Amino acid sequence: MTDVRPHQDIATPAGDIAKPIKSELLHINMGPQHPSTHGVLRLFITTDGEMVTKVVPYLGYLHRCAEKIAEGNTYHQYIIYTDRMDYLAAMNCNWTYCLAVENTLRSLGVEVEIPEYAEYVRVIIGELNRIASHLIAFGTYGLDIGAMTPFFHALREREAILNIFEKVCGARLMYSYYDVGGVKWDIPDDAMDEIKLFIDLFPAKLDEYNELLTGNKIFVERTANVGVLDAATCIDYGCTGPVLRGSGVKHDLRKDDPYSIYDRFDFDIPVGTGTVGTVGDCWDRYHVRMLEMYESWRIIQQAVDRIPPRGEVMAKMPKNLKVPPGQGYYRAENPKGEMGFYIISDGGTVPFRCKTRSPAFHNLHIIEHVGKGQMISDLCATIGSLDLVLGEIDR
Amino acid sequence: MHETLSNLPLLSGLPAQVLVVLAMVSAGGIILGCIAVGGMFFIWSERKVAGYIQSRYGPMYVGGWHGVLQSLADGVKLLLKEDIWPEKADKPLWRMAPLLVFLGAFLSFVVLPFGPNFVGANLDIGLFYVMATSSLVVMGVISAGWGSNNKWALYGALRGAAQVISYEIPLGLALLPVVMSTGSLNLGTIIQAQAGWIHNWHLLNPLFFVSFWIYVISSLAEVNRVPFDLPETESELVSGYHTEYTGMKFAFFFLGEYADMFVVSAIGVTVFLGGWYSGIPALDVPALFPLIFILKSFFLVFVQIWLRWTLPRLRVDQLMYVCWKVFIPIALANLLLYGVIRTVLS
Amino acid sequence: MTEQEIYQRLQARFDDSILGFESDIPQPVVSCTPEAVGDIAKYLRDDPALSFDRLLCLSGVDYEGLDEKGKGKHREINRYEEDGTVNPVEDPGTGDLAVVYHLESFKHHHRLCLSVRVPRETPKIASVGHVWITAQYGERETYDFFGIEFEGNPDLRRLFLPEDWVGWPLRKDYEMPVRYNDVPLEGLGLAVRDEQ
């Protein structure tokens, strides 16, 4: 297992007794219980001193057979399992799944007319969850770099969002709020007031985060020029979301392949610019998330301003949902990247096959490439900047 | 101290050797008590300061007012915990490590001058002694890392060794100009050179001011605090060299760290911040000396806590860069400059 | 470029290897032979008019129980009764397995769904891992769940399940093993306890 090789870099004393110093590579399990692998990711790393020479991810510690379960549950029943995929952005996972089912229905000739009010509710709640997910990414990234305080500040604002979600659907983590054809319940008045309050307060908090971490000299030293991913590599590895955008590719399904009512809102797609280092370094990915929170805030603000008067939140859907035989792959922009569902229906009430394309699964793969030749600390910084959630990697 | 003891009527009949042993034991007990109580106070205050910085409360329940007894409860909990031994640990080293770490801090307390007559041992080479004993910590760190038979712990230990040995140099170099100025390594003498008004403090001498900052930053590295907490780095190395320790052994590491924080702060106060003098001659009454000294040291400890909860952490190569390419040249230049100026002026 | 044009282009280039084109559905599907998929993938990526630089999703499918028109009686996954018995699947599956590639081009913003059926008895297909690196993980996942072997994948191991797991769970005729490494599996715990 251990390969022994002469180390060329170490100077050896002159004379006959001098022998080249032998050094061994060290094999370490990073995870499944490790603070910076963000869950139960196990990386088998080979190190030469502080340098990592090889990274091999081992997955499956959180595998819950979601795709098998999908084949035994009705389209409605499977919604709750999508919660458990990206558990930090469960609303978005629900939404993507419901969107996929609705689009599959539409493409097969079944009319699904989602009320406009429900579409606005979906956008508001989905973008709030995007902010919540990015807040966790921001906070835990601080932890990875060694700054504890941003995490608590991020959780403080996430708490406000979770309180809103609790009022909206009664749950704080696993919402199952979106349904095929709309959303399950209307937003209550006090939750709407809280959303408005959140809109008022959030930009100041965002400035606070930037003051705390973004410009910090040590933080910049740790993240700039670290884990650089160029655009071509990112595309080759199937990276999406902030990882791809951090490498300077302006790709966001909300703009490029608009779904729901995103074409009605005015927002920008932030991309990595290499402000403090190279385009596509850890800092860029981090900064893209920070800017995206601001863009989400803009979308929520516009949606709350323009939301139509209260009305139906559900389309008229049959109680026992049957999808005609057919197939379709539909996707949406989740906080972690592009999430998609490939649904094959055999005409019954349960999917024949429901494959999930999870963004973090593809984003994880690149760690094999970028982890080589980094220091252990940089590897932690890189993993953090990819913002992995094992729930959707292992499914 | 044994003179004091022999003056007590109860013990006056005892032979001198017994008295010496008794004196040593009681002095050790007092220091141990101070460290334990002080350490607990620091842990509690660190949690409260961290809570304040992170917009939360910190401990609130144990002991009534703001959880003052939280550390005591934690200490009791740690005492009662199962002592888990890694099966393939190097037992003697593994057992010795927490004691070595604690011993380093413990021995340094002997010479800390809380007042002109309030010092464990008034050594002529007090400063040198403190530097020497605080280096003992690194022996503990290495033996903990090696003895644990854990790769993460080994990484922590190697980082710790590299870091502490490197930062001893700027730390020592930063203190040297002051030693040149006072002509003594005795901590009491160094403090007495700063008597009188506040402008006599070494901190306010421009060259010593540079030394002071080098000292403060290097001392952070010396006691493994953020942004230099690389031997622990809970997000990279799980918990560094004390990953495998539980219960009271872990508590010793913990206590040793906080005691070390106080020691480096106290030395900083002694050398640069006027020691037991308040800076206002009217306030300098002997009864207040220990209080002033402790308050000043607490302030420096507070600065360390403050930094810990504000800053991210450096990478190991950046840490070495800062030490060898920034601090050591500056400290050497500062030393040289002070030497030249002093020679010219005299 | 529409799917129809892509199909014609592919047919002109790969003639026999392109098996068919389902065009009357919203996301048309091109199907091809398993041996040729490596070359076709390379062509799809490198041809400047196509330049499919993104592999969105690589899915395995087991068509067991689905008739020609895509209709079929859905086979239920194994049910575990309360008394610990399991309803086994009576007959082994006969339908084809398939690998489905969803591709997209950043340059031209067109998409393609490429479906490759492989026989159930000898599920072998050429790997596209050298064309889109992201396929390497997708192929491992598909191998893990369907037992489809990707020839040319540099590291074809199970991805999620343990190396010594028996069976291919997402196949429709999969039967859950009673034990894994002497650990009674879920639902069967009662029955196993009774045996002892």
Side-chain angles (χ1 to χ4, degrees), chain B residues 71-93:
Chain B
S71 299
L72 191 66
D74 285 347
V76 172
K77 179 200 74 177
L78 285 170
L79 268 175
L80 297 175
K81 264 196 165 179
E82 185 191 354
D83 190 20
I84 300 169
W85 292 67
E87 197 174 324
K88 290 185 178 161
D90 190 330
K91 294 276 156 56
L93 283 181

Side-chain angles (χ1 to χ4, degrees), chain A residues 27 34-35 47 49-50 149, chain B residues 151 155 159 234 236 309 313:
Chain A
H27 301 277
H34 188 276
T47 55
E50 285 276 343
T149 301
Chain B
K151 288 166 183 172
Y155 264 112
R159 284 183 179 185
E234 69 286 345
E236 291 158 26
W309 298 105
R313 125 179 13 100

